[in-house]
Amino acid sequence: MTDTKTISKRDFLRKSILTGAGAVGATTLAAPYVRAQAPIKWRLQTYAGPALADHVIKPAIDAFNKAANGEMVIELYTADQLVPQGELFRAVQAGTIDAAQSDDDSMASPVDVAVFGAYFPFASRYSLDVPVLWNWYGLKEIWEEAYGEVPGVTWLSAGAWDPCNFATTKPIRSLEDLKGLRVYTFPTGGQFISRLGVVPVTLPWEDIEVALQTGEIDGIAWCGATETYSVGWANVTKYYLTNNISGAWSGSFFANSEKWNAVPEHLKEIFKLAMDSSHYYRQHWYWWGEAHYRTTGGKLELTTIPEDEWKKVEDMALEFWGEIAAKSERNAKVVDILKNYQETMRKAGAPYRYG
């Protein structure tokens, strides 16, 4: 006859407690290993200087870091802080930095569509045009295709910034007044305005204010009124031309592909939400600021080139579009989209387009 051991209620409870304690102990011992794998740390550099970065990206990165709850931390660096702006793409590609916020144009992206980054002349009239073009007219897919051909960098998301106006130390009231002006601007924008007699100048972002004070340059065609006042350039310029060569700057977020692929899916989604938050913040901040500073800024005298004279510049832009379209089939596709979009806006009338 086999002996059986009767387990009392007290023995059962005692064993259950010990087993539970062992499980807790195992969990506790494993915890330091899990924590050792985190947080994921990224370094992200923006094209913007410190005062501007406080608006165009810092709120979104702060929100991401909070939402990531210690699993991932993004360190934010401002213009030229880690690498020069013109080397930003290569730095992301090499993994020197993990991500960037910039336009394709000034960061020297080696893709044909980079020419449409920043201020492609007269591509937009309002900041809302940019997200509409990317999300509803097919530019998102074109950008994904273009950057898919370049190893090491993943294009993530595009959004709008401010318009491109001239802020200068000399008044501009006609096209003739533009001739000979030395102006800090973006590469493609510079190519275009050079046809108006402007001399484009490239300098490190932090040197612009001093260059304006010393007369090394006569002005900027880099931003609208919001940035001109926010970063201090309104203190060293005198005039603001209300005619602009583009209604909105277009820029994007980029990441090193290997680093992006290593991010867990739930953190990728949080980062996508953070990018959308950044895009939305800029929409209302710039829209507020452009009107606010023009009307209450008090530092810059507003000047305007007559509409019939400015129409010549718009016509020149269409010629420029044709030259860019001839450079690649993909560029031609983008130009066709821009033309279709403009025609749709004109047909729609107010409030999309007036006149």
Side-chain angles (χ1 to χ4, degrees):
M1 183 175 180
T2 304
D3 291 336
T4 58
K5 186 174 181 181
T6 303
I7 299 176
S8 68
K9 182 178 181 180
R10 181 179 294 174
D11 288 337
F12 176 80
L13 291 172
R14 179 173 172 275
K15 288 186 176 182
S16 297
I17 292 168
L18 288 172
T19 302
V24 171
T27 303
T28 304
L29 289 172
Y33 173 79
V34 173
R35 291 195 185 107
Q37 309 309 305
I40 298 168
K41 288 190 176 180
W42 269 17
R43 299 194 301 172
L44 186 157
Q45 182 171 307
T46 176
Y47 77 98
L52 185 57
D54 280 350
H55 288 281
V56 301
I57 190 170
K58 189 176 185 297
I61 297 303
D62 288 346
F64 172 85
N65 287 337
K66 185 175 181 179
N69 199 30
E71 295 182 61
M72 183 169 173
V73 176
I74 298 177
E75 298 173 350
L76 178 63
Y77 295 86
T78 56
D80 303 313
Q81 197 170 357
L82 296 179
V83 298
Q85 174 65 19
E87 299 174 15
L88 194 52
F89 184 92
R90 297 298 183 189
V92 174
Q93 189 175 45
T96 306
I97 57 177
D98 305 298
Q101 179 204 43
S102 177
D103 66 283
D104 324 57
D105 196 27
S106 67
M107 71 186 290
S109 292
V111 294
D112 48 4
V113 295
V115 70
F116 299 102
Y119 292 121
F120 190 65
F122 296 95
S124 64
R125 183 166 296 188
Y126 307 116
S127 60
L128 198 55
D129 291 339
V130 172
V132 170
L133 282 163
W134 258 262
N135 292 295
W136 297 99
Y137 276 74
L139 293 194
K140 176 179 180 289
E141 290 74 19
I142 291 174
W143 258 245
E144 288 173 339
E145 175 189 87
Y147 282 96
E149 298 171 0
V150 180
V153 175
T154 299
W155 173 86
L156 297 175
S157 180
W161 273 252
D162 53 340
C164 183
N165 294 73
F166 287 86
T168 55
T169 57
K170 302 173 183 178
I172 303 171
R173 296 187 174 91
S174 69
L175 293 182
E176 188 66 27
D177 293 333
L178 288 168
K179 294 180 179 179
L181 288 182
R182 294 160 297 175
V183 172
Y184 172 64
T185 190
F186 290 88
T188 299
Q191 288 178 37
F192 177 69
I193 62 176
S194 66
R195 302 180 179 202
L196 303 173
V198 175
V199 180
V201 177
T202 301
L203 290 170
W205 193 91
E206 66 270 17
D207 293 345
I208 303 308
E209 187 168 344
V210 173
L212 286 164
Q213 290 174 305
T214 61
E216 182 180 352
I217 59 176
D218 302 303
I220 55 170
W222 171 270
C223 58
T226 309
E227 287 189 24
T228 302
Y229 275 86
S230 297
V231 305
W233 292 337
N235 299 328
V236 290
T237 51
K238 296 180 180 179
Y239 303 94
Y240 184 87
L241 181 66
T242 60
N243 312 77
N244 60 56
I245 67 166
S246 182
W249 188 86
S250 62
S252 298
F253 285 85
F254 305 84
N256 175 273
S257 297
E258 184 178 348
K259 297 295 181 65
W260 176 249
N261 293 336
V263 174
E265 289 302 316
H266 70 289
L267 291 177
K268 284 182 179 177
E269 291 303 314
I270 294 174
F271 190 70
K272 290 174 184 177
L273 290 170
M275 290 188 291
D276 284 343
S277 172
S278 173
H279 296 329
Y280 175 65
Y281 183 102
R282 294 191 312 273
Q283 284 283 342
H284 60 76
W285 182 60
Y286 279 120
W287 191 252
W288 161 79
E290 295 309 302
H292 172 77
Y293 288 112
R294 282 193 189 193
T295 57
T296 66
K299 295 179 179 179
L300 301 177
E301 178 183 336
L302 303 183
T303 64
T304 301
I305 294 175
E307 188 175 339
D308 58 343
E309 192 174 359
W310 192 247
K311 179 66 168 55
K312 299 175 184 177
V313 184
E314 295 180 5
D315 292 341
M316 288 173 63
L318 289 177
E319 294 177 13
F320 185 74
W321 286 19
E323 294 170 17
I324 297 301
K327 293 183 180 294
S328 75
E329 289 185 12
R330 191 155 48 211
N331 281 2
K333 188 175 181 180
V334 174
V335 169
D336 284 343
I337 288 172
L338 293 177
K339 288 180 177 179
N340 178 39
Y341 180 72
Q342 285 201 344
E343 183 62 22
T344 300
M345 295 298 104
R346 281 194 293 268
K347 287 180 178 178
Y352 297 95
R353 296 292 186 267
Y354 293 86

